[in-house]
């Protein structure tokens, strides 16, 4: 028996893409280790990336008491939209999911773990809310 649950939802971006999103969370609210939400971002969709690659990591983090969010970027899995060659559209996906976390989950902070090249230099994504922590690469 697993010690976490998984909930699915759809997060819509500003430009209308609908992103299939999963929230992995500890079975009991009292088992939450920290008021931190981890957002895991898969490699580029155009190269075959999808949130299924991150399921094991997300389950492990939830099992250790951390709420964890995975999602399919545009064009991956059951998300709508088309992937881009530049990654700019995918950055909008990350922004939308982090905003959703800020608005819907009681969290003091977000730890953003991403494979996206260039995300660190994008001012909007870093400033989307004062709770986002982006590890140095």
């Amino acid at each position: 028996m697993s010690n976490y649950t998984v909930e699915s939802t759809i997060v819509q971006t500003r430009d209308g893409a609908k992103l299939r999103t999963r929230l992995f969370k500890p079975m009991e609210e009292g088992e939450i280790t920290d008021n931190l939400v981890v957002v895991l971002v898969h490699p580029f969709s155009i190269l075959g990336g999808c949130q299924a690659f991150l399921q094991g990591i997300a389950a492990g983090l939830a099992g250790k008491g951390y709420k964890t969010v995975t999602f399919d970027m545009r064009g991956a899995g059951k998300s709508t939209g088309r992937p881009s060659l530049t990654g700019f559209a995918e950055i909008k996906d990350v922004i939308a999911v982090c905003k959703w976390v800020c608005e819907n989950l009681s969290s003091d902070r977000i730890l953003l773990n991403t494979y996206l090249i260039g995300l660190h230099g994008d001012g909007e994504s870093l400033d989307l809310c004062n709770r986002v922590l982006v590890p140095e690469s």
Side-chain angles (χ1 to χ4, degrees), residues 109-131:
R109 300 165 294 153
I110 297 171
L111 177 61
L112 183 60
N113 187 342
T114 176
Y115 291 91
L116 285 177
I117 298 168
L119 180 65
H120 300 286
D122 182 272
E124 182 183 4
S125 59
L126 295 178
D127 294 334
L128 64 106
C129 73
N130 61 3
R131 295 176 267 190

Side-chain angles (χ1 to χ4, degrees), residues 60-82:
L61 287 167
K64 296 288 186 186
Y66 294 97
K67 292 180 187 175
T68 306
V69 174
T70 64
F71 65 99
D72 281 320
M73 287 188 277
R74 62 188 66 220
K78 294 184 180 180
S79 292
T80 66
R82 300 185 68 196

Side-chain angles (χ1 to χ4, degrees), residues 40-110:
L40 301 175
V41 182
H42 65 75
F44 282 120
S45 307
I46 206 157
L47 299 174
C50 66
Q51 71 175 313
F53 295 140
L54 304 170
Q55 182 175 347
I57 298 168
L61 287 167
K64 296 288 186 186
Y66 294 97
K67 292 180 187 175
T68 306
V69 174
T70 64
F71 65 99
D72 281 320
M73 287 188 277
R74 62 188 66 220
K78 294 184 180 180
S79 292
T80 66
R82 300 185 68 196
S84 71
L85 292 173
T86 62
F88 292 122
E90 287 79 359
I91 290 171
K92 291 178 184 176
D93 297 348
V94 174
I95 292 168
V97 170
C98 287
K99 283 185 177 180
W100 178 85
V101 168
C102 289
E103 294 168 0
N104 294 282
L105 302 177
S106 56
S107 169
D108 296 335
R109 300 165 294 153
I110 297 171

